[in-house]
């Protein structure tokens, strides 16, 4: 049973290598710390965490990272390793942190367990806190060093390592809590979702030295021209499919707060890679072209380029353009050829120009295919600006729009009704199901453990609930509250919400 990945060398030789590695950092380096903990003294030992760290270390070296590998870290050794990592990174760097070992959640905070973490029972949560490494603190340290990109990968099982037969365990979440509130520039990946166990192997005859997650993730990282989101999505699909072959559920999740796409092994097809700056030996730094959805930066990367918001309704799509400059007129077309169409005007004066304000929105049909919208506008000097390309991806736009609505209307996810007994309706969730992968509820429990069946998403009419769908649960009359948790299509997980009668 495992959690996160990073490797360790041992004894004095490793200590010396840390000192050499901790030389002053230069800008725009790639630096990685991988830790693997197998040999726990007071909680169950692990079998493959060290192997996973070594594999990840080798993989990251291939991608141009300077790699620190630490194994079987005690609390003191863990702290010293993180200190060396601090000294090795600097402003503008790409930092990669991989941990394989036991991890534990207490009160919504994630802790990485060193090999000498003490055995603990009910009421001794402080022992675990004091003897472990707070995962959020790793992020804070990288933020303090002003690294440009922080990538954190955790390969750990989702059970409680403190459970013992005949005793009451430390109160924790049986794994790690979702890291949904990440600062800008941080990307994190978990080997399994909440309440899911990460597989070490697929069967007794599976001789692969690495866990199911790490063997897959390491391979996907080296695929050329693939960004981090695509790596995470491919890993999620492949791991989930492999787990299903042995009737196991394991769906890796990721949390993305990157402003730009990040490519660790070359840029996407047609994109121009940025030149690398040599560090020790020539290597490429992370290519960070502008985000492709929902906007593609224009060729001149003008700060005044329009951006667009897409919203889906029964009749089709509404696209609202936002332009920083005052505009006297807006026009648009689909694709690279054809005539531009004016958006017209609305009955409002723009206080900046004292003229009627151009209509900032257009309508597209419900079945509009993926395309590029070319937008241009007339500035206050009468000059035409643009055209600027804006990418329209219907599937991505639908998910993004419905996710936004769900976040804004969290108090409406469930509602109680008294009708021939007690019912709880989840009609609201069904209406925005295209953004949802899974819904779990807990009846009189703060732990959602029951899956609500949702009809498949219909992109042609996404908000309509099928006539044969049952959007409610029948509850016992004594039910007091229901908890609910959403897993979104991108793998991220919502906070657990509670609804009382």
């Amino acid at each position: 049973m495992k959690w996160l990945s990073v490797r360790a060398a041992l004894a004095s030789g490793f200590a010396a290598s840390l000192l050499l590695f901790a030389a002053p950092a230069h800008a725009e380096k790639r630096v990685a710390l991988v830790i693997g903990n197998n040999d726990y003294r007071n909680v169950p030992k692990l079998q493959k965490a060290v192997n996973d760290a070594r594999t990840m270390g080798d993989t990251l070296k291939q991608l141009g990272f300077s790699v620190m590998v630490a194994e079987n870290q005690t609390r003191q050794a863990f702290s010293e390793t993180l200190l060396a990592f601090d000294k090795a990174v600097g402003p503008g760097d790409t930092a990669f942190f991989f941990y394989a070992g036991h991890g534990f959640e207490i009160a919504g905070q994630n802790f990485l367990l060193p090999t000498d973490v003490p055995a603990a029972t009910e009421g001794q949560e402080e022992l675990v806190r004091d003897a472990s490494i707070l995962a959020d603190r790793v992020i804070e340290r990288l933020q303090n060093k002003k690294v440009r990109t922080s990538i954190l990968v955790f390969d750990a099982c989702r059970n409680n390592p403190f459970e013992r037969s005949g005793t009451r365990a430390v109160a924790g979440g049986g794994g790690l809590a979702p890291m949904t509130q990440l600062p800008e520039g941080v990307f994190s990946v978990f080997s399994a979702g909440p309440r899911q166990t990460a597989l070490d192997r697929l069967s007794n005859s599976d001789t692969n030295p690495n866990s199911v997650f790490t063997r897959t993730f390491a391979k996907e990282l080296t695929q050329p021209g693939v960004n981090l989101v695509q790596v995470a999505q491919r890993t999620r699909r492949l791991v989930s499919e492999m787990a299903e072959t042995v009737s196991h559920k394991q769906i890796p999740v990721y949390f993305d707060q990157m402003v730009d796409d990040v490519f660790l092994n070359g840029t996407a097809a047609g994109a121009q890679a940025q030149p690398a700056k040599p560090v020790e030996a020539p290597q490429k730094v992370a290519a960070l072209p502008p985000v492709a959805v929902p906007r593609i930066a224009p060729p001149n990367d003008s700060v005044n380029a329009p951006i667009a918001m897409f919203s889906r309704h029964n009749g089709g799509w509404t696209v609202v353009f936002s332009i920083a400059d005052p505009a006297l007129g807006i026009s648009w077309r689909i694709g690279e050829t054809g005539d531009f169409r004016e958006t017209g005007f609305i009955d409002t004066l723009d206080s900046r120009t004292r003229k009627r304000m151009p209509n900032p929105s257009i309508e597209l049909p419900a079945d509009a295919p993926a395309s590029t919208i070319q937008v241009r506008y007339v500035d206050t000097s009468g000059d035409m600006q643009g055209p600027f390309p804006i990418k329209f991806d219907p599937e991505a736009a639908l998910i993004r729009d419905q996710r936004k609505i769900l976040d804004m209307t969290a108090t409406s996810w469930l509602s109680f009704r008294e009708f021939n007994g007690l019912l709880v309706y989840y009609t609201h969730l069904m209406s925005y199901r295209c953004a949802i992968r899974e819904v779990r509820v807990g009846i009189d429990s703060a732990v959602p453990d029951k899956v609500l069946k949702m009809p498949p998403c219909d992109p042609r009419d996404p908000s309509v609930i099928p006539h044969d769908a049952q959007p409610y649960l029948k509850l016992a009359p004594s039910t007091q509250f229901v908890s609910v948790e959403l897993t979104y299509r991108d793998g991220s997980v919502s906070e657990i919400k509670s609804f009382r009668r």
Side-chain angles (χ1 to χ4, degrees), residues 275-391:
K277 293 187 178 181
V279 178
E280 298 176 348
Q283 62 185 37
K284 294 181 180 178
V285 299
L288 300 168
V291 174
V293 178
R295 168 182 173 250
I296 296 178
N300 61 357
D301 200 24
S302 169
V303 295
N304 298 320
I307 59 175
M309 295 295 295
F310 301 91
S311 59
R312 185 70 161 79
H313 50 79
N314 290 339
W317 292 92
T318 296
V319 185
V320 179
F321 303 119
S322 178
I323 303 173
D325 285 345
L328 302 180
I330 302 172
S331 57
W332 65 284
R333 72 181 180 197
I334 299 293
E336 301 294 334
T337 60
D339 296 332
F340 280 87
R341 287 175 280 180
E342 301 291 333
T343 62
F345 297 87
I346 59 177
D347 292 330
T348 301
L349 288 179
D350 188 333
S351 60
R352 298 170 297 176
T353 64
R354 304 305 301 168
K355 296 182 179 180
R356 289 181 67 189
M357 184 176 293
N359 182 3
S361 66
I362 63 172
E363 300 292 323
L364 298 177
D367 58 353
S371 57
T372 298
I373 304 172
Q374 301 285 344
V375 182
R376 64 184 188 181
Y377 66 93
V378 179
D379 64 20
T380 53
S381 300
D383 295 327
M384 183 69 70
Q385 301 295 328
F388 301 93
I390 295 176
K391 184 177 180 181

Side-chain angles (χ1 to χ4, degrees), residues 2-245:
K2 340 179 325 190
W3 211 73
L4 313 168
S5 294
V6 187
R7 198 204 238 168
L10 297 171
S12 59
F14 177 60
S17 68
L18 289 183
L19 293 176
L20 291 173
F21 190 86
H26 301 283
E28 299 185 9
K29 298 190 309 298
R30 288 184 172 190
V31 184
L33 170 61
V34 296
I35 298 174
N37 285 346
N38 276 349
D39 297 336
Y40 286 92
R41 303 173 187 174
N42 305 305
V43 298
K45 294 180 183 293
L46 300 176
Q47 299 298 319
K48 294 187 176 181
V50 168
N51 283 342
D52 288 342
R54 293 173 179 174
T55 295
M56 282 301 302
D58 292 340
T59 299
L60 293 170
K61 287 176 184 177
Q62 295 176 34
L63 296 173
F65 282 83
S66 296
V67 181
M68 303 168 62
V69 182
E71 300 170 358
N72 297 318
Q73 299 280 276
T74 63
R75 179 62 173 83
Q76 181 174 345
F78 209 139
S79 296
E80 292 173 351
T81 300
L82 288 174
L83 181 61
F85 191 40
D86 285 347
K87 294 178 179 179
V89 298
D93 287 352
T94 294
F96 198 115
F97 177 81
F98 178 83
Y99 173 83
H102 280 306
F104 196 66
E105 176 265 323
I106 300 176
Q109 291 184 308
N110 294 325
F111 293 87
L112 314 183
L113 306 189
T115 56
D116 58 350
V117 65
T121 57
E122 183 184 21
Q124 296 181 325
E125 289 80 12
E126 291 303 323
L127 281 179
V128 180
R129 284 192 178 99
D130 293 344
S132 303
I133 301 296
L134 181 64
D136 285 340
R137 180 60 183 146
V138 178
I139 298 175
E140 290 176 8
R141 293 167 76 141
L142 294 174
Q143 291 286 297
N144 290 340
K145 299 297 289 188
K146 302 186 185 303
V147 302
R148 181 180 185 183
T149 301
S150 299
I151 305 164
L152 298 98
V153 181
F154 305 107
D155 187 4
C157 78
R158 296 276 169 159
N159 69 343
N160 186 338
F162 299 101
E163 287 181 341
R164 294 290 187 278
S165 177
T167 68
R168 299 189 67 179
V170 168
L176 300 181
M179 300 178 80
T180 57
Q181 303 298 319
L182 296 175
E184 183 178 306
V186 179
F187 191 93
S188 67
V189 184
F190 291 77
S191 62
R195 295 172 302 279
Q196 296 174 3
T197 302
L199 292 172
D200 263 353
R201 56 187 177 176
L202 294 172
S203 67
N204 290 335
S205 59
D206 183 356
T207 59
N208 194 297
N210 297 122
S211 72
V212 173
F213 169 81
T214 294
R215 71 180 74 164
T216 306
F217 183 71
K219 181 178 179 181
E220 292 303 317
L221 271 180
T222 61
Q223 297 298 319
V226 178
N227 64 38
L228 275 180
V229 171
Q230 293 170 319
V231 169
Q233 291 175 339
R234 292 183 182 190
T235 300
R236 181 176 63 194
R237 175 176 57 81
L238 293 171
V239 170
S240 175
E241 290 174 352
M242 285 191 287
E244 286 179 359
T245 64

Side-chain angles (χ1 to χ4, degrees), residues 319-465:
V319 185
V320 179
F321 303 119
S322 178
I323 303 173
D325 285 345
L328 302 180
I330 302 172
S331 57
W332 65 284
R333 72 181 180 197
I334 299 293
E336 301 294 334
T337 60
D339 296 332
F340 280 87
R341 287 175 280 180
E342 301 291 333
T343 62
F345 297 87
I346 59 177
D347 292 330
T348 301
L349 288 179
D350 188 333
S351 60
R352 298 170 297 176
T353 64
R354 304 305 301 168
K355 296 182 179 180
R356 289 181 67 189
M357 184 176 293
N359 182 3
S361 66
I362 63 172
E363 300 292 323
L364 298 177
D367 58 353
S371 57
T372 298
I373 304 172
Q374 301 285 344
V375 182
R376 64 184 188 181
Y377 66 93
V378 179
D379 64 20
T380 53
S381 300
D383 295 327
M384 183 69 70
Q385 301 295 328
F388 301 93
I390 295 176
K391 184 177 180 181
F392 172 53
D393 181 338
E395 180 180 2
L398 175 61
I399 294 172
R400 190 185 190 95
D401 182 48
Q402 291 202 351
R403 167 71 183 270
K404 179 177 65 176
I405 293 173
L406 287 168
D407 288 342
M408 295 172 59
T409 59
T411 57
S412 302
W413 288 355
L414 301 182
S415 59
F416 290 94
R417 296 288 187 272
E418 299 278 353
F419 182 76
N420 293 332
L422 180 62
L423 307 176
V424 61
Y425 277 82
Y426 50 99
T427 312
H428 189 77
L429 295 178
M430 277 194 175
S431 297
Y432 300 103
R433 63 190 180 276
C434 290
I436 301 172
R437 174 184 294 167
E438 184 178 77
V439 180
R440 285 179 173 266
V441 296
I443 311 301
D444 280 338
S445 170
V447 179
D449 54 5
K450 179 181 178 62
V451 177
L452 292 184
K453 186 175 181 180
M454 305 286 282
C457 169
D458 181 2
R460 297 168 300 178
D461 213 348
S463 298
V464 172
I465 299 175

